[in-house]
Amino acid sequence: MNYLGFNKEKASQTVQSLNRLLANYHVYYQNLRTFHWKISGRDFFDLHNKFEDLYNDARLKIDEIAERILTLRFEPMSFYSGYLKAADIEEAKDWDDSVDMVKIILENHSSLIQNIRTALQRAADAGDEGTVDLLGGFLSSLEKKSWMLDAWSTKVKEPVTLY
């Protein structure tokens, strides 16, 4: 039953983007878990908690994306092997320190932001305001998290003068 009244072909294009986003969020989530477990050194207290906050947020986003796909009457991807094939984000395997970890997370964010923008465009083309609303919130939240991580990783040479 098409209780939402969407054109099935246009909804299908939105769902393709949502499934790719779902795959990328799963790999991003696991990268965050890995960093949470592997962080050490003087940044431990800052980043151990930050990585936990980020992966808890990602876990919620994963569920919301899958449930939106179901709401649109399609099937979300649900196997990790499929996520690895469909994702633009790769499993994090090599880093030297906490700055590298944050750099990898920012690269993951860049991929997620691009995925979200693509899905937003497809949802808008389909007249799917529910998905547009959901993803708009994801986008602004992820952009803010990216700004904060980027600010953390930037070395300040001189104090900022406000006057």
Side-chain angles (χ1 to χ4, degrees), residues 2-156:
N2 187 3
Y3 57 85
L4 299 176
F6 290 122
N7 173 294
K8 188 143 179 105
E9 185 175 322
K10 286 187 177 185
S12 174
Q13 292 173 4
T14 301
V15 169
Q16 286 176 336
S17 294
L18 289 173
N19 265 321
R20 182 177 216 141
L21 182 61
L22 181 63
N24 278 308
Y25 256 104
H26 270 282
V27 179
Y28 165 66
Y29 171 83
Q30 191 56 47
N31 285 344
L32 291 166
R33 294 297 305 237
T34 298
F35 293 156
H36 175 76
W37 296 326
K38 302 275 185 172
I39 188 68
S40 61
R42 76 182 104 156
D43 295 323
F44 175 83
F45 290 108
D46 289 337
L47 293 181
H48 183 76
N49 289 332
K50 177 50 71 180
F51 295 156
E52 185 173 4
D53 290 344
L54 291 169
Y55 74 66
N56 283 331
D57 179 67
R59 182 181 50 80
L60 294 173
K61 300 279 191 301
I62 286 166
D63 195 51
E64 290 183 62
I65 294 164
E67 288 180 353
R68 185 63 192 169
I69 293 169
L70 289 165
T71 299
L72 295 172
R73 307 303 285 173
F74 288 85
E75 290 290 321
M77 296 176 70
S78 59
F79 295 103
Y80 214 80
S81 58
Y83 300 143
L84 291 172
K85 288 178 187 172
D88 303 306
I89 295 174
E90 296 180 4
E91 295 176 299
K93 295 181 181 172
D94 296 312
W95 61 86
D96 291 326
D97 56 23
S98 58
V99 173
D100 286 346
M101 289 176 172
V102 170
K103 180 181 175 190
I104 290 167
I105 291 170
L106 286 168
E107 290 168 356
N108 289 183
H109 283 192
S110 181
S111 292
L112 290 168
I113 288 167
Q114 288 306 107
N115 288 158
I116 291 168
R117 288 180 180 153
T118 298
L120 271 168
Q121 185 60 54
R122 287 186 173 174
D125 290 347
D128 179 357
E129 294 300 322
T131 301
V132 168
D133 182 57
L134 176 74
L135 295 178
F138 284 13
L139 182 61
S140 63
S141 174
L142 195 57
E143 289 172 342
K144 185 172 184 177
K145 287 173 177 59
S146 298
W147 159 64
M148 291 180 170
L149 287 169
D150 186 58
W152 177 91
S153 66
T154 302
K155 292 185 180 187
V156 178

